[in-house]
Amino acid sequence: QLVESGGGLVQGGGSLRLSCAGSTRTFSDYNMGWFRQAPGKEREFVAAITSSGARTYYADSMKGRFIISRNNAKITVYLQMNSLKPEDTAVYYCAARRNWVPSDLDYDYWGQGTQVTVSS
């Protein structure tokens, strides 16, 4: 089970930190990803991190603004979002998978999502 938190309303240029809490100690076996879906649009890849946290991967439009990290002791993965823009408005989802295919949507487990709204 994955539970996201930390979403909300923020002004353009602001920052938010999303969290995704897992529920099992096998969390450290999984590669984790963040995706987002805006109204009327397809779900898109944001960022991913390997099970150990040693490697990260970002969508081009997020590079330099978003940072993914994890704390396996706390069974949590984070997404630090900086310099937010109105077009970042979406529901953000975390997901888990065992193999490393970071931007592919075929993850094994998904959270319910957390809403992020960026005002102009």
Side-chain angles (χ1 to χ4, degrees):
Q1 183 179 4
L2 300 172
V3 179
E4 302 95 337
S5 61
L9 175 63
V10 63
Q11 271 196 319
S15 298
L16 278 177
R17 188 196 197 200
L18 305 183
S19 299
C20 172
S23 61
T24 172
R25 290 295 172 182
T26 61
F27 176 85
S28 61
D29 294 339
Y30 287 85
N31 303 303
M32 299 297 295
W34 284 98
F35 291 78
R36 69 185 186 184
Q37 188 165 18
K41 295 188 177 182
E42 294 184 350
R43 191 167 297 189
E44 66 172 344
F45 170 73
V46 174
I49 188 167
T50 54
S51 57
S52 67
R55 183 179 174 185
T56 58
Y57 183 72
Y58 296 90
D60 287 344
S61 60
M62 285 48 151
K63 286 180 182 177
R65 296 193 302 127
F66 291 6
I67 301 171
I68 188 171
S69 62
R70 68 190 295 162
N71 184 328
N72 286 340
K74 294 185 176 180
I75 319 179
T76 303
V77 63
Y78 305 97
L79 185 69
Q80 177 67 42
M81 304 187 295
N82 302 316
S83 303
L84 283 163
K85 307 172 183 179
E87 50 264 44
D88 293 317
T89 295
V91 177
Y92 283 71
Y93 300 88
C94 69
R97 69 187 303 162
R98 287 193 177 270
N99 58 341
W100 179 244
V101 188
S103 60
D104 187 271
L105 281 168
D106 193 22
Y107 277 64
D108 300 317
Y109 303 100
W110 290 84
Q112 293 300 305
T114 185
Q115 176 70 46
V116 171
T117 303
V118 184
S119 62
S120 56

